[in-house]
Amino acid sequence: MKIEFVAAAGACEILALLVHDGRQFAGAGAEVDTRTGGALSRAIGKSRVTGAAGQSLNVAGTSGADADTVVLIGAGDGGAFDDLAIEAAGANAYHAVKLSGAECLTIDAAHLSPEQAARIAFAVRLASYRFDKYRTTEKPEKKPSITSVRVVASDIRAAESALEPLAAVAEAVEFSRDLVSEPANVLYPAEFARRVKELERLGLGVEILGEAEMEKLGMRTLLAVGQGSRRESQLAVIQWKGGAEGEQPIAFVGKGVCFDTGGISIKPSEGMEDMKWDMGGAAAVSGLMHALAGRKAKVNAIGVLGLVENMPDGNAQRPGDVVVSMSGQTVEVINTDAEGRLVLADALWYTQERFKPKFMIDLATLTGAMIVALGLDYAGVFSNSDEVADNVLAAAPKVGENFWRMPIPSIYEKHIDSQIADVKNVGNGRAGGSITAALFLQRFTNGVPWAHLDIAPTAWTNKSINPTVPDGAVGFGVRTLDRMVADAYEG
Ligand code: BES
Ligand code: ZN
Ligand code: ZN
């Protein structure tokens, strides 16, 4: 997709004009209406379109409008046209015409600030994401026809420079979505690590630890998850040094289970294919580090990814096994399908011990129980620090991601006490399954300020409610954490 800023409409088959609530034309709308002899107001008058967000109306045969077709895009309340409303309007302009057969779309944003015009370009880019590298026989009429979007801006230079940091975020979200979309026969731990290693081109430092190195460090709970797989487990350590030399870093840790069969506690076959995206936490951390480097964020940040494949095998761990974690705590593995917490236990311990961070935030598609609790459009936040939790919760709504804070009450600690080891990896029965998982993780944080984001509900969507998020891999968490870092930890 080619997206560029232009000084005036023209030369494209379709022109998108924004309409606010109350059928108020924005920008060039009123003028184009006059030039077309009132074609726009006649069409809107006969339609149900009011200007509400999500509505659109095609008006064909608009000679005099600089385009064959005008598409009116509902942009909602004109007095509350904030960043998210602008993104929705830009994304919806693309969606309204993407299958029309036209190749070029102009979006009128000349009446908006250069920053807002840039945000429209950013939204079109996010909305037009597709993972189609494995589709070889798709009929042309099913593919989006739009290949070029031109955003009319009042100041092209200013819009271009406002787009730079947004483009860095968009590229990072795309990187994260690609990782999540890839099937597990392609994206196994070493391949994930290889793709992350390539991020060194952005100025990130990337170390990859293999099984021998993790063995030396005593990371037995992580290694136990991967021991039933033919694919070697990996730990990726990503560093961004954009802050002052010696300044304490902030740290992000991702669950990267490249495929989760459940192991010996094997999952039912129905829906098991979804478990290719059980690395969504690691993909979000990778995307975040990509974004921080891409926009040269003034912060020191660490990303740690625990990359494994959870398979049943003659060498797989068994229910009832006791494993010694890097922290020294012993873990009784009651259920091999509660593997994410085993991976994170060592990854969190390693992160705090090596980097002494200000805080750690882990992201993980950790529990099906999170989906039961919050439904598919909210992720859970569990934290021992109001400050860290509040910073996540303040950033998320600004970028269109939904989080809800969950409790981690100590009265449930007894549910994960083991008869024969220090802790067991599941609670008693299914009650509070996401909470007992968070309590388990907390035992491996060594008291460092920490938040755990359970993104099981949101890492993948088949029913997106956000026009900048196509169905499939969401890249969930990248934008929230990037925004949180920008708002609370830079400079
Ligand atoms: N990866 C799953 C959680 C999951 C389920 C993510 C559905 C996304 C969609 C995790 O490893 C898991 O299997 N958790 C178990 C825990 C149980 C054994 C205590 C679960 O949620 O059932
Ligand atoms: Zn599992
Ligand atoms: Zn899992």
Side-chain angles (χ1 to χ4, degrees), residues 354-414:
R354 175 167 172 197
F355 296 106
K356 308 273 181 271
K358 276 189 199 136
F359 65 78
M360 302 190 281
I361 297 182
D362 76 73
L363 292 96
T365 50
L366 203 63
T367 63
M370 199 73 262
I371 300 171
V372 176
L374 293 178
L376 286 169
D377 294 308
Y378 275 87
V381 184
F382 301 78
S383 184
N384 62 5
S385 157
D386 288 346
E387 185 185 320
V388 177
D390 287 349
N391 285 334
V392 172
L393 292 168
K398 298 179 189 163
V399 298
E401 294 185 333
N402 301 321
F403 284 90
W404 199 267
R405 185 140 182 207
M406 299 287 295
I408 35 172
S410 54
I411 47 172
Y412 293 163
E413 288 280 9
K414 59 177 181 290

Side-chain angles (χ1 to χ4, degrees), residues 255 257 259-262 267 275 278-279 310 336-341 365-367:
K255 169 179 172 180
V257 177
F259 197 80
D260 180 12
T261 64
K267 288 179 179 296
M275 288 299 107
D278 207 19
M279 32 53 72
N310 188 22
T336 65
D337 195 12
E339 84 297 340
R341 65 199 74 181
T365 50
L366 203 63
T367 63

Side-chain angles (χ1 to χ4, degrees), residues 235-474:
L235 190 82
V237 182
I238 315 169
Q239 300 197 48
W240 171 247
K241 294 180 177 163
E245 172 106 31
E247 189 184 283
Q248 202 183 8
I250 59 179
F252 302 88
V253 179
K255 169 179 172 180
V257 177
C258 295
F259 197 80
D260 180 12
T261 64
I264 297 299
S265 312
I266 197 163
K267 288 179 179 296
S269 50
E270 194 182 324
M272 201 200 273
E273 67 278 8
D274 284 352
M275 288 299 107
K276 77 168 184 182
W277 47 265
D278 207 19
M279 32 53 72
V285 172
S286 309
L288 170 68
M289 299 306 290
H290 192 306
L292 296 180
R295 62 175 187 78
K296 306 216 177 326
K298 292 187 181 52
V299 70
N300 293 334
I302 306 294
V304 173
L305 319 176
L307 303 169
V308 302
E309 184 180 54
N310 188 22
M311 299 293 274
D313 173 79
N315 194 47
Q317 65 176 337
R318 292 149 292 261
D321 281 5
V322 174
V323 209
V324 188
S325 68
M326 186 184 177
S327 75
Q329 296 173 88
T330 54
V331 180
E332 185 185 12
V333 179
I334 299 292
N335 189 320
T336 65
D337 195 12
E339 84 297 340
R341 65 199 74 181
L342 300 174
V343 171
L344 290 173
D346 278 342
L348 285 165
W349 191 266
Y350 173 87
T351 301
Q352 61 82 30
E353 185 166 286
R354 175 167 172 197
F355 296 106
K356 308 273 181 271
K358 276 189 199 136
F359 65 78
M360 302 190 281
I361 297 182
D362 76 73
L363 292 96
T365 50
L366 203 63
T367 63
M370 199 73 262
I371 300 171
V372 176
L374 293 178
L376 286 169
D377 294 308
Y378 275 87
V381 184
F382 301 78
S383 184
N384 62 5
S385 157
D386 288 346
E387 185 185 320
V388 177
D390 287 349
N391 285 334
V392 172
L393 292 168
K398 298 179 189 163
V399 298
E401 294 185 333
N402 301 321
F403 284 90
W404 199 267
R405 185 140 182 207
M406 299 287 295
I408 35 172
S410 54
I411 47 172
Y412 293 163
E413 288 280 9
K414 59 177 181 290
H415 294 283
I416 53 169
D417 287 339
S418 157
Q419 267 181 5
I420 70 158
D422 298 332
V423 63
K424 58 179 177 166
N425 78 330
V426 293
N428 299 316
R430 296 194 316 173
S434 304
I435 300 175
T436 47
L439 284 168
F440 180 94
L441 296 180
Q442 186 172 233
R443 294 198 189 190
F444 298 87
T445 59
N446 206 15
V448 170
W450 151 83
H452 156 56
L453 311 183
D454 191 337
I455 62 168
T458 52
W460 186 273
T461 179
N462 294 319
K463 245 192 173 123
S464 176
I465 56 168
N466 181 339
T468 60
V469 178
D471 282 351
V474 174

Side-chain angles (χ1 to χ4, degrees), residues 67-79:
D68 310 332
T69 302
V70 166
V71 60
L72 299 172
I73 301 299
D77 183 350

Side-chain angles (χ1 to χ4, degrees), residues 21-354:
D21 285 344
R23 295 179 168 172
Q24 297 294 315
F25 288 121
E31 185 215 318
V32 172
D33 190 38
T34 311
R35 272 199 275 136
T36 57
L40 303 186
S41 32
R42 270 198 307 282
I44 204 170
K46 281 191 240 159
S47 79
R48 292 179 173 181
V49 168
T50 59
Q55 294 178 332
S56 68
L57 180 67
N58 278 31
V59 187
T62 47
S63 58
D66 296 331
D68 310 332
T69 302
V70 166
V71 60
L72 299 172
I73 301 299
D77 183 350
F81 200 43
D82 59 12
D83 283 354
L84 281 185
I86 292 165
E87 287 181 23
N92 284 330
Y94 170 74
H95 291 308
V97 302
K98 67 186 175 192
L99 296 172
S100 64
E103 285 170 18
C104 182
L105 163 69
T106 303
I107 304 176
D108 173 37
H111 59 295
L112 301 175
S113 70
E115 290 73 26
Q116 291 173 321
R119 196 162 283 281
I120 288 195
F122 170 65
V124 169
R125 180 163 172 181
L126 290 176
S128 62
Y129 174 83
R130 267 187 121 215
F131 187 80
D132 55 7
K133 65 193 275 198
Y134 300 120
R135 307 193 66 139
T136 66
T137 58
E138 194 178 27
K139 297 202 169 61
E141 61 269 26
K142 294 268 165 98
K143 286 194 174 101
S145 57
I146 297 287
T147 55
S148 168
V149 173
R150 299 177 187 173
V151 180
V152 186
S154 58
D155 181 339
I156 293 177
R157 278 280 186 75
E160 279 169 352
S161 64
L163 184 59
E164 270 176 31
L166 294 175
V169 174
E171 202 181 311
V173 170
E174 288 161 0
F175 180 72
S176 186
R177 287 177 181 173
D178 282 347
L179 291 170
V180 172
S181 303
E182 286 285 10
N185 62 325
V186 174
L187 194 82
Y188 46 89
E191 171 61 12
F192 195 132
R194 190 191 65 75
R195 292 189 188 193
V196 168
K197 185 79 181 166
E198 282 182 353
L199 300 183
E200 287 190 329
R201 74 187 150 79
L202 299 172
L204 291 161
V206 180
E207 295 160 67
I208 307 298
L209 281 62
E211 291 183 351
E213 286 149 302
M214 286 191 272
E215 199 75 66
K216 271 195 210 124
L217 289 161
M219 305 182 84
R220 285 295 324 155
T221 59
L222 186 154
L223 290 167
V225 173
Q227 76 188 29
S229 171
R230 303 279 286 263
R231 307 289 197 181
E232 187 181 349
S233 300
Q234 312 270 285
L235 190 82
V237 182
I238 315 169
Q239 300 197 48
W240 171 247
K241 294 180 177 163
E245 172 106 31
E247 189 184 283
Q248 202 183 8
I250 59 179
F252 302 88
V253 179
K255 169 179 172 180
V257 177
C258 295
F259 197 80
D260 180 12
T261 64
I264 297 299
S265 312
I266 197 163
K267 288 179 179 296
S269 50
E270 194 182 324
M272 201 200 273
E273 67 278 8
D274 284 352
M275 288 299 107
K276 77 168 184 182
W277 47 265
D278 207 19
M279 32 53 72
V285 172
S286 309
L288 170 68
M289 299 306 290
H290 192 306
L292 296 180
R295 62 175 187 78
K296 306 216 177 326
K298 292 187 181 52
V299 70
N300 293 334
I302 306 294
V304 173
L305 319 176
L307 303 169
V308 302
E309 184 180 54
N310 188 22
M311 299 293 274
D313 173 79
N315 194 47
Q317 65 176 337
R318 292 149 292 261
D321 281 5
V322 174
V323 209
V324 188
S325 68
M326 186 184 177
S327 75
Q329 296 173 88
T330 54
V331 180
E332 185 185 12
V333 179
I334 299 292
N335 189 320
T336 65
D337 195 12
E339 84 297 340
R341 65 199 74 181
L342 300 174
V343 171
L344 290 173
D346 278 342
L348 285 165
W349 191 266
Y350 173 87
T351 301
Q352 61 82 30
E353 185 166 286
R354 175 167 172 197

